Amino acid sequence: MPLRCLKTRMQKGFSLVEMMVAVAVLAILAAIAAPQMQNQITGNRVTAATNELLAALAQTRSDAIRSSQARTVDPAVVLAARLGNVNMNADMANITFNANGTTNDTGQIVLSNAARTRTITVLGSGKAFLN
């Protein structure tokens, strides 16, 4: 009687148990990461509003210099669409840039929500920057 070689069965793919374990591990990791991701999204709303306001201030200052006429920007109007998600506390209601780019309206604008706070400072030279 000849000896027969037993062929080993080659596995192709994953078993149901292996797939269930992988899905369970992914679900646990997602449950751990979800609160941090939500906090990051909430904080990004403040960052987006801050960037939008800084851009509006720079554009208004540039327009005042280019046209040689005073130009005014209202931070509340610029952020009107975003203020539902972001709280704004400003030292000044309007910021008027003179024809040479300077301003007499100096102070700070604080944008915040539960996740993040950003402060924009406006100097007499007309420069606005993030603290």
Side-chain angles (χ1 to χ4, degrees), residues 18-58:
E18 290 171 332
M19 188 62 76
M20 288 173 57
V21 168
V23 169
V25 169
L26 286 174
I28 291 168
L29 290 175
I32 292 170
Q36 289 298 323
M37 189 64 163
Q38 186 63 30
N39 195 28
Q40 184 69 27
I41 291 169
T42 304
N44 284 346
R45 290 184 180 134
V46 171
T47 300
T50 302
N51 291 340
E52 190 173 331
L53 184 54
L54 282 170
L57 291 170

Side-chain angles (χ1 to χ4, degrees), residues 23 55 61 67 78 110 112 119 125 128:
V23 169
R61 181 175 185 253
S67 67
V78 172
V110 179
S112 65
T119 303
S125 64

